[in-house]
Amino acid sequence: MEEGAGAHTSLLVKNLPITDGPMLTYLAFFQDDASSHDEESQSLLEPHQGLQLKSKCPDWRAPTLILGLECLESMAFNGIGTNLVVYLRLVLHGGIASSASTVSLWYGTSFFVPILGAAIADTYWGNYKTILISLIMYLIGMVLITVTTFMAYTPALCNEISCLSSNGFQTTLFFAALYLTAVGCGGLRSALLPFGADQFNNENSLDMQKRRNFFSSFYICVIFGVITSGTIIVWVQENVSWTIGYGIATACIGLALIGFVVGTPVFRQHKPSGSPVKNIFQVIVASFRNLGLEVPVDSSLLYEVRSKTTQRRPKLAHSDDFRFLDKAAIISDQSLANGSCEGSWRLCTVTQVEELKILIRLLPIWVTGILFGAAISQMHTTFIQQGTVMNTKIGSVSIPPASLYSFEVICVTLWVLVVNKVIVPATRTCFANGAELTQLQRIGIGRFLMIFAMALAALLEMKRLESVQAGEPLSIVWQLPQYIVIAGAECFAIITQLEFFHGQAPDSMKSMLTAFALLTTALGNYLSSAIITFLASVTRVWHSPGWIPDDLNQGHLDYYYWCLTALSLANFFIFVYFASKYKLKKVVVN
């Protein structure tokens, strides 16, 4: 136990929104009967002061409603995105290159807008208001997209050179609506997950376990929407009507908005904590302005607000790393002469300094998430391409290579069940103090499993090339092991990473850091694209046709997978190093 800056004795607890109320008992399928003793939480039954905007009694309806909202949002988003390139090409008569570029730009926008939405939620609106406004924008955009399908005329046949242009007004309206949905989707993504996590009472270890299950269930809802839209909505769009297909997606957002408004009385809401960006820059500027001052050995001499009434958010305990930043909290004669010290650009509180330290500690963990995302993105790209040159028939049934993603989703669900029902109870039995795997340890397991997933893909490709030489194509069934392993990596790493970033984030940055955790997937896809483009170009120069030619039977995709295996191995050791040095956040409650 450390002493905080002030006269009161300090207790260390986990910095998460805390309110009173009964336990949530939803989702029994994922529920763990035992209590959680995660090392990431150091909690005592001391309530936070001044955090809550409205104190509502929690019940199972709040998290269940939020999971339902995510299912509907995922179905709507993927109902647009999955078949968007086809709509642009066939209905709006866009060119092949321009259509592909438009889809990439739209996806990129939808993944980067959450950063802006998170900043607004943390600073001004709060999660509830951000979700409400985002859903309204989302719904307006979806309605306009559906309206444009009524305006679409029967597409003329395209010749080999070009297609006729669509109506200018129709195209303008469609793209305006498309980007309005991207903004609405981004705002929703930035706030919905942290808002769901806020519904749990973290004073109780069992409720903290339910909170972990919520993160797992939330992620499963995301991929459930992907599969549902990729089958039902896409089939309706291509075989029945684009209007009806987009109408189904619009109905999903309409239901989500209605459900959210109806569920308002059961939601917990918290006040925004002010601009996190301003606090960060204040610490940096104050550190340089106090460059000539010496940091005191006794950390209690550093500046901290002592009055509960003037400090809305919990205070963070001082840590000994990044000592240079402590200069921002040194009380000098000049800062005392200014009168009011708090919030100035010369003197910051220990809490403000520690918030910046948390960001610095999280940065290398976040970067390893991007490298992990580059490897996991292979199941959407090269795994499918690998499957197309294998024997896709199982008996008399032909298996589309892309359909194995549905198998991977099922495996993620099973992995979640195994982790919660088998692995977690087993670790409690094995460890003498009854503890379980920490969040960083679970993320590390995910990073480690990714090494094996890439190695399995490389070995399979080597075996496949040998079978091609022998004239006996390998069955696509042999791809299943790499999908099983990559599902385990996804379960351990991605789901836990969301929980870890939300838990470690200061109160003023929870939405923002959750959005950054989600951003690793998008950046990983961009990194994967850059790696594969670079290797294809370089190896083509070295030895035509290169590692990744149009005809994979003439290339060496296995070399590419071995490169990803090596990168995943290096990424794992980098993660282990920084995870071993990571200091968990500690909150001082007076």
mmCIF file of all heavy atoms in Angstrom, residues 74-85 87 103 106-107 138 141-142 145 174 177-178 181-182 229 233-234 237 242 245-246 249-250 253:
data_model
loop_
_atom_site.group_PDB
_atom_site.id
_atom_site.type_symbol
_atom_site.label_atom_id
_atom_site.label_comp_id
_atom_site.label_asym_id
_atom_site.label_seq_id
_atom_site.Cartn_x
_atom_site.Cartn_y
_atom_site.Cartn_z
ATOM 1 N N SER A 74 -24.107 -4.606 -35.880
ATOM 2 C CA SER A 74 -23.186 -5.391 -36.700
ATOM 3 C C SER A 74 -23.876 -5.921 -37.953
ATOM 4 O O SER A 74 -23.292 -5.931 -39.042
ATOM 5 C CB SER A 74 -22.614 -6.552 -35.874
ATOM 6 O OG SER A 74 -21.686 -7.297 -36.627
ATOM 7 N N MET A 75 -25.120 -6.343 -37.815
ATOM 8 C CA MET A 75 -25.877 -6.800 -38.980
ATOM 9 C C MET A 75 -26.078 -5.657 -39.974
ATOM 10 O O MET A 75 -25.927 -5.841 -41.191
ATOM 11 C CB MET A 75 -27.231 -7.357 -38.540
ATOM 12 C CG MET A 75 -27.157 -8.692 -37.824
ATOM 13 S SD MET A 75 -28.776 -9.232 -37.225
ATOM 14 C CE MET A 75 -29.683 -9.359 -38.783
ATOM 15 N N ALA A 76 -26.402 -4.461 -39.473
ATOM 16 C CA ALA A 76 -26.641 -3.314 -40.348
ATOM 17 C C ALA A 76 -25.361 -2.885 -41.048
ATOM 18 O O ALA A 76 -25.345 -2.672 -42.272
ATOM 19 C CB ALA A 76 -27.217 -2.154 -39.542
ATOM 20 N N PHE A 77 -24.273 -2.747 -40.290
ATOM 21 C CA PHE A 77 -23.010 -2.299 -40.876
ATOM 22 C C PHE A 77 -22.518 -3.261 -41.947
ATOM 23 O O PHE A 77 -22.141 -2.840 -43.055
ATOM 24 C CB PHE A 77 -21.956 -2.149 -39.778
ATOM 25 C CG PHE A 77 -20.594 -1.781 -40.313
ATOM 26 C CD1 PHE A 77 -20.315 -0.464 -40.660
ATOM 27 C CD2 PHE A 77 -19.606 -2.738 -40.459
ATOM 28 C CE1 PHE A 77 -19.062 -0.123 -41.155
ATOM 29 C CE2 PHE A 77 -18.357 -2.402 -40.958
ATOM 30 C CZ PHE A 77 -18.078 -1.083 -41.300
ATOM 31 N N ASN A 78 -22.516 -4.536 -41.632
ATOM 32 C CA ASN A 78 -22.038 -5.519 -42.603
ATOM 33 C C ASN A 78 -23.056 -5.753 -43.721
ATOM 34 O O ASN A 78 -22.686 -6.202 -44.805
ATOM 35 C CB ASN A 78 -21.707 -6.838 -41.895
ATOM 36 C CG ASN A 78 -20.492 -6.714 -41.002
ATOM 37 O OD1 ASN A 78 -19.371 -6.658 -41.463
ATOM 38 N ND2 ASN A 78 -20.729 -6.641 -39.696
ATOM 39 N N GLY A 79 -24.339 -5.440 -43.443
ATOM 40 C CA GLY A 79 -25.333 -5.484 -44.502
ATOM 41 C C GLY A 79 -25.048 -4.450 -45.579
ATOM 42 O O GLY A 79 -25.402 -4.635 -46.750
ATOM 43 N N ILE A 80 -24.391 -3.354 -45.184
ATOM 44 C CA ILE A 80 -23.959 -2.354 -46.162
ATOM 45 C C ILE A 80 -22.626 -2.757 -46.785
ATOM 46 O O ILE A 80 -22.473 -2.817 -48.006
ATOM 47 C CB ILE A 80 -23.785 -0.969 -45.506
ATOM 48 C CG1 ILE A 80 -25.081 -0.503 -44.868
ATOM 49 C CG2 ILE A 80 -23.319 0.057 -46.523
ATOM 50 C CD1 ILE A 80 -24.908 0.760 -44.052
ATOM 51 N N GLY A 81 -21.644 -3.037 -45.919
ATOM 52 C CA GLY A 81 -20.269 -3.192 -46.380
ATOM 53 C C GLY A 81 -19.974 -4.456 -47.148
ATOM 54 O O GLY A 81 -19.170 -4.441 -48.088
ATOM 55 N N THR A 82 -20.600 -5.578 -46.776
ATOM 56 C CA THR A 82 -20.254 -6.858 -47.396
ATOM 57 C C THR A 82 -20.456 -6.846 -48.901
ATOM 58 O O THR A 82 -19.631 -7.355 -49.660
ATOM 59 C CB THR A 82 -21.082 -7.997 -46.758
ATOM 60 O OG1 THR A 82 -20.850 -8.016 -45.344
ATOM 61 C CG2 THR A 82 -20.689 -9.340 -47.354
ATOM 62 N N ASN A 83 -21.533 -6.261 -49.356
ATOM 63 C CA ASN A 83 -21.876 -6.276 -50.780
ATOM 64 C C ASN A 83 -21.779 -4.891 -51.418
ATOM 65 O O ASN A 83 -22.289 -4.676 -52.517
ATOM 66 C CB ASN A 83 -23.307 -6.810 -50.958
ATOM 67 C CG ASN A 83 -23.385 -7.892 -52.011
ATOM 68 O OD1 ASN A 83 -22.367 -8.427 -52.438
ATOM 69 N ND2 ASN A 83 -24.586 -8.211 -52.441
ATOM 70 N N LEU A 84 -21.110 -3.961 -50.737
ATOM 71 C CA LEU A 84 -21.065 -2.589 -51.228
ATOM 72 C C LEU A 84 -20.384 -2.477 -52.585
ATOM 73 O O LEU A 84 -20.847 -1.750 -53.475
ATOM 74 C CB LEU A 84 -20.358 -1.694 -50.205
ATOM 75 C CG LEU A 84 -20.242 -0.207 -50.562
ATOM 76 C CD1 LEU A 84 -21.625 0.405 -50.788
ATOM 77 C CD2 LEU A 84 -19.489 0.540 -49.462
ATOM 78 N N VAL A 85 -19.277 -3.193 -52.768
ATOM 79 C CA VAL A 85 -18.557 -3.104 -54.044
ATOM 80 C C VAL A 85 -19.409 -3.609 -55.204
ATOM 81 O O VAL A 85 -19.331 -3.084 -56.329
ATOM 82 C CB VAL A 85 -17.214 -3.874 -53.957
ATOM 83 C CG1 VAL A 85 -17.450 -5.375 -53.870
ATOM 84 C CG2 VAL A 85 -16.318 -3.534 -55.142
ATOM 85 N N TYR A 87 -22.767 -3.403 -55.326
ATOM 86 C CA TYR A 87 -23.785 -2.373 -55.563
ATOM 87 C C TYR A 87 -23.201 -1.208 -56.366
ATOM 88 O O TYR A 87 -23.828 -0.703 -57.309
ATOM 89 C CB TYR A 87 -24.342 -1.871 -54.232
ATOM 90 C CG TYR A 87 -25.446 -0.848 -54.382
ATOM 91 C CD1 TYR A 87 -26.760 -1.247 -54.568
ATOM 92 C CD2 TYR A 87 -25.165 0.516 -54.342
ATOM 93 C CE1 TYR A 87 -27.778 -0.319 -54.718
ATOM 94 C CE2 TYR A 87 -26.168 1.458 -54.485
ATOM 95 C CZ TYR A 87 -27.473 1.028 -54.678
ATOM 96 O OH TYR A 87 -28.477 1.954 -54.844
ATOM 97 N N VAL A 103 -14.855 1.582 -51.488
ATOM 98 C CA VAL A 103 -15.153 0.688 -50.364
ATOM 99 C C VAL A 103 -14.045 0.755 -49.319
ATOM 100 O O VAL A 103 -14.306 0.830 -48.109
ATOM 101 C CB VAL A 103 -15.354 -0.756 -50.860
ATOM 102 C CG1 VAL A 103 -15.491 -1.715 -49.676
ATOM 103 C CG2 VAL A 103 -16.591 -0.845 -51.739
ATOM 104 N N TRP A 106 -14.299 4.006 -47.410
ATOM 105 C CA TRP A 106 -15.446 4.006 -46.495
ATOM 106 C C TRP A 106 -15.153 3.167 -45.252
ATOM 107 O O TRP A 106 -15.456 3.588 -44.119
ATOM 108 C CB TRP A 106 -16.684 3.467 -47.216
ATOM 109 C CG TRP A 106 -17.904 3.445 -46.348
ATOM 110 C CD1 TRP A 106 -18.668 4.501 -45.968
ATOM 111 C CD2 TRP A 106 -18.494 2.289 -45.731
ATOM 112 N NE1 TRP A 106 -19.701 4.082 -45.161
ATOM 113 C CE2 TRP A 106 -19.624 2.728 -45.003
ATOM 114 C CE3 TRP A 106 -18.191 0.932 -45.736
ATOM 115 C CZ2 TRP A 106 -20.425 1.859 -44.282
ATOM 116 C CZ3 TRP A 106 -18.990 0.059 -45.017
ATOM 117 C CH2 TRP A 106 -20.096 0.525 -44.301
ATOM 118 N N TYR A 107 -14.561 1.990 -45.461
ATOM 119 C CA TYR A 107 -14.197 1.156 -44.313
ATOM 120 C C TYR A 107 -13.197 1.885 -43.421
ATOM 121 O O TYR A 107 -13.314 1.866 -42.190
ATOM 122 C CB TYR A 107 -13.594 -0.175 -44.785
ATOM 123 C CG TYR A 107 -14.598 -1.292 -44.916
ATOM 124 C CD1 TYR A 107 -15.020 -1.732 -46.167
ATOM 125 C CD2 TYR A 107 -15.114 -1.924 -43.798
ATOM 126 C CE1 TYR A 107 -15.942 -2.758 -46.301
ATOM 127 C CE2 TYR A 107 -16.032 -2.958 -43.905
ATOM 128 C CZ TYR A 107 -16.447 -3.373 -45.167
ATOM 129 O OH TYR A 107 -17.360 -4.389 -45.277
ATOM 130 N N TYR A 138 -27.032 7.432 -37.750
ATOM 131 C CA TYR A 138 -26.953 6.116 -38.405
ATOM 132 C C TYR A 138 -28.266 5.806 -39.124
ATOM 133 O O TYR A 138 -28.280 5.394 -40.299
ATOM 134 C CB TYR A 138 -26.667 5.067 -37.341
ATOM 135 C CG TYR A 138 -25.889 3.851 -37.791
ATOM 136 C CD1 TYR A 138 -25.081 3.166 -36.881
ATOM 137 C CD2 TYR A 138 -25.971 3.361 -39.087
ATOM 138 C CE1 TYR A 138 -24.363 2.047 -37.257
ATOM 139 C CE2 TYR A 138 -25.256 2.235 -39.464
ATOM 140 C CZ TYR A 138 -24.457 1.586 -38.541
ATOM 141 O OH TYR A 138 -23.748 0.463 -38.919
ATOM 142 N N GLY A 141 -28.923 8.011 -42.179
ATOM 143 C CA GLY A 141 -28.099 7.554 -43.293
ATOM 144 C C GLY A 141 -28.637 6.289 -43.930
ATOM 145 O O GLY A 141 -28.674 6.158 -45.167
ATOM 146 N N MET A 142 -29.065 5.337 -43.107
ATOM 147 C CA MET A 142 -29.594 4.074 -43.628
ATOM 148 C C MET A 142 -30.889 4.297 -44.406
ATOM 149 O O MET A 142 -31.114 3.665 -45.452
ATOM 150 C CB MET A 142 -29.839 3.101 -42.475
ATOM 151 C CG MET A 142 -28.572 2.576 -41.812
ATOM 152 S SD MET A 142 -27.532 1.617 -42.927
ATOM 153 C CE MET A 142 -28.667 0.337 -43.434
ATOM 154 N N ILE A 145 -29.974 5.704 -47.771
ATOM 155 C CA ILE A 145 -29.419 4.660 -48.644
ATOM 156 C C ILE A 145 -30.532 3.810 -49.230
ATOM 157 O O ILE A 145 -30.537 3.486 -50.429
ATOM 158 C CB ILE A 145 -28.421 3.788 -47.856
ATOM 159 C CG1 ILE A 145 -27.138 4.551 -47.587
ATOM 160 C CG2 ILE A 145 -28.104 2.499 -48.623
ATOM 161 C CD1 ILE A 145 -26.133 3.794 -46.742
ATOM 162 N N PHE A 174 -26.510 9.004 -52.459
ATOM 163 C CA PHE A 174 -26.047 7.721 -51.925
ATOM 164 C C PHE A 174 -24.754 7.893 -51.138
ATOM 165 O O PHE A 174 -24.618 7.376 -50.024
ATOM 166 C CB PHE A 174 -25.839 6.723 -53.067
ATOM 167 C CG PHE A 174 -25.299 5.392 -52.604
ATOM 168 C CD1 PHE A 174 -26.140 4.441 -52.056
ATOM 169 C CD2 PHE A 174 -23.939 5.106 -52.695
ATOM 170 C CE1 PHE A 174 -25.641 3.219 -51.611
ATOM 171 C CE2 PHE A 174 -23.432 3.893 -52.260
ATOM 172 C CZ PHE A 174 -24.294 2.947 -51.720
ATOM 173 N N ALA A 177 -25.267 9.739 -47.858
ATOM 174 C CA ALA A 177 -25.866 8.831 -46.882
ATOM 175 C C ALA A 177 -24.850 7.802 -46.394
ATOM 176 O O ALA A 177 -24.816 7.440 -45.207
ATOM 177 C CB ALA A 177 -27.071 8.129 -47.502
ATOM 178 N N LEU A 178 -24.004 7.332 -47.328
ATOM 179 C CA LEU A 178 -23.014 6.316 -46.985
ATOM 180 C C LEU A 178 -22.052 6.829 -45.914
ATOM 181 O O LEU A 178 -21.758 6.137 -44.929
ATOM 182 C CB LEU A 178 -22.253 5.901 -48.241
ATOM 183 C CG LEU A 178 -21.356 4.661 -48.143
ATOM 184 C CD1 LEU A 178 -22.189 3.421 -47.858
ATOM 185 C CD2 LEU A 178 -20.552 4.484 -49.428
ATOM 186 N N THR A 181 -23.674 7.279 -42.478
ATOM 187 C CA THR A 181 -23.700 6.021 -41.719
ATOM 188 C C THR A 181 -22.326 5.702 -41.143
ATOM 189 O O THR A 181 -22.218 5.152 -40.042
ATOM 190 C CB THR A 181 -24.164 4.845 -42.602
ATOM 191 O OG1 THR A 181 -23.263 4.682 -43.703
ATOM 192 C CG2 THR A 181 -25.557 5.064 -43.131
ATOM 193 N N ALA A 182 -21.247 6.048 -41.867
ATOM 194 C CA ALA A 182 -19.899 5.808 -41.350
ATOM 195 C C ALA A 182 -19.648 6.618 -40.084
ATOM 196 O O ALA A 182 -19.061 6.123 -39.118
ATOM 197 C CB ALA A 182 -18.852 6.144 -42.410
ATOM 198 N N SER A 229 -25.392 -11.107 -41.715
ATOM 199 C CA SER A 229 -25.519 -10.210 -42.864
ATOM 200 C C SER A 229 -24.894 -10.814 -44.105
ATOM 201 O O SER A 229 -25.391 -10.612 -45.223
ATOM 202 C CB SER A 229 -24.851 -8.867 -42.556
ATOM 203 O OG SER A 229 -23.465 -9.051 -42.298
ATOM 204 N N ILE A 233 -28.786 -11.182 -45.500
ATOM 205 C CA ILE A 233 -28.959 -9.882 -46.151
ATOM 206 C C ILE A 233 -28.346 -9.871 -47.545
ATOM 207 O O ILE A 233 -28.948 -9.364 -48.505
ATOM 208 C CB ILE A 233 -28.370 -8.760 -45.277
ATOM 209 C CG1 ILE A 233 -29.139 -8.660 -43.953
ATOM 210 C CG2 ILE A 233 -28.414 -7.414 -46.016
ATOM 211 C CD1 ILE A 233 -28.638 -7.576 -43.014
ATOM 212 N N VAL A 234 -27.146 -10.434 -47.686
ATOM 213 C CA VAL A 234 -26.502 -10.467 -49.004
ATOM 214 C C VAL A 234 -27.323 -11.288 -49.987
ATOM 215 O O VAL A 234 -27.485 -10.912 -51.157
ATOM 216 C CB VAL A 234 -25.068 -11.017 -48.880
ATOM 217 C CG1 VAL A 234 -24.495 -11.330 -50.263
ATOM 218 C CG2 VAL A 234 -24.183 -10.009 -48.160
ATOM 219 N N GLN A 237 -30.247 -9.193 -51.113
ATOM 220 C CA GLN A 237 -29.823 -8.133 -52.021
ATOM 221 C C GLN A 237 -29.595 -8.648 -53.436
ATOM 222 O O GLN A 237 -29.962 -7.987 -54.417
ATOM 223 C CB GLN A 237 -28.533 -7.482 -51.482
ATOM 224 C CG GLN A 237 -28.740 -6.637 -50.227
ATOM 225 C CD GLN A 237 -27.431 -6.212 -49.602
ATOM 226 O OE1 GLN A 237 -26.374 -6.789 -49.889
ATOM 227 N NE2 GLN A 237 -27.486 -5.211 -48.730
ATOM 228 N N TRP A 242 -32.370 -5.144 -53.929
ATOM 229 C CA TRP A 242 -31.460 -4.316 -53.160
ATOM 230 C C TRP A 242 -32.233 -3.474 -52.143
ATOM 231 O O TRP A 242 -31.764 -3.253 -51.025
ATOM 232 C CB TRP A 242 -30.677 -3.392 -54.089
ATOM 233 C CG TRP A 242 -29.585 -4.083 -54.846
ATOM 234 C CD1 TRP A 242 -29.638 -4.519 -56.136
ATOM 235 C CD2 TRP A 242 -28.286 -4.435 -54.355
ATOM 236 N NE1 TRP A 242 -28.448 -5.117 -56.477
ATOM 237 C CE2 TRP A 242 -27.595 -5.071 -55.409
ATOM 238 C CE3 TRP A 242 -27.630 -4.253 -53.147
ATOM 239 C CZ2 TRP A 242 -26.290 -5.531 -55.282
ATOM 240 C CZ3 TRP A 242 -26.323 -4.713 -53.009
ATOM 241 C CH2 TRP A 242 -25.666 -5.341 -54.063
ATOM 242 N N GLY A 245 -33.078 -5.643 -49.206
ATOM 243 C CA GLY A 245 -31.851 -5.960 -48.474
ATOM 244 C C GLY A 245 -31.395 -4.812 -47.602
ATOM 245 O O GLY A 245 -31.121 -4.983 -46.402
ATOM 246 N N TYR A 246 -31.331 -3.618 -48.200
ATOM 247 C CA TYR A 246 -30.943 -2.456 -47.402
ATOM 248 C C TYR A 246 -32.041 -2.078 -46.409
ATOM 249 O O TYR A 246 -31.763 -1.509 -45.345
ATOM 250 C CB TYR A 246 -30.634 -1.271 -48.314
ATOM 251 C CG TYR A 246 -29.263 -1.348 -48.958
ATOM 252 C CD1 TYR A 246 -29.108 -1.222 -50.338
ATOM 253 C CD2 TYR A 246 -28.130 -1.545 -48.185
ATOM 254 C CE1 TYR A 246 -27.844 -1.298 -50.928
ATOM 255 C CE2 TYR A 246 -26.880 -1.622 -48.751
ATOM 256 C CZ TYR A 246 -26.735 -1.502 -50.124
ATOM 257 O OH TYR A 246 -25.489 -1.578 -50.691
ATOM 258 N N ALA A 249 -31.407 -3.965 -43.251
ATOM 259 C CA ALA A 249 -30.341 -3.338 -42.472
ATOM 260 C C ALA A 249 -30.843 -2.076 -41.784
ATOM 261 O O ALA A 249 -30.497 -1.795 -40.624
ATOM 262 C CB ALA A 249 -29.158 -3.016 -43.383
ATOM 263 N N THR A 250 -31.673 -1.301 -42.486
ATOM 264 C CA THR A 250 -32.250 -0.090 -41.889
ATOM 265 C C THR A 250 -33.149 -0.428 -40.712
ATOM 266 O O THR A 250 -33.134 0.250 -39.675
ATOM 267 C CB THR A 250 -33.055 0.682 -42.952
ATOM 268 O OG1 THR A 250 -32.203 0.998 -44.056
ATOM 269 C CG2 THR A 250 -33.632 1.966 -42.372
ATOM 270 N N ILE A 253 -31.187 -0.964 -37.490
ATOM 271 C CA ILE A 253 -30.810 0.261 -36.771
ATOM 272 C C ILE A 253 -32.033 0.909 -36.136
ATOM 273 O O ILE A 253 -31.949 1.452 -35.020
ATOM 274 C CB ILE A 253 -30.105 1.239 -37.730
ATOM 275 C CG1 ILE A 253 -28.769 0.650 -38.177
ATOM 276 C CG2 ILE A 253 -29.876 2.587 -37.063
ATOM 277 C CD1 ILE A 253 -27.809 0.373 -37.037
#
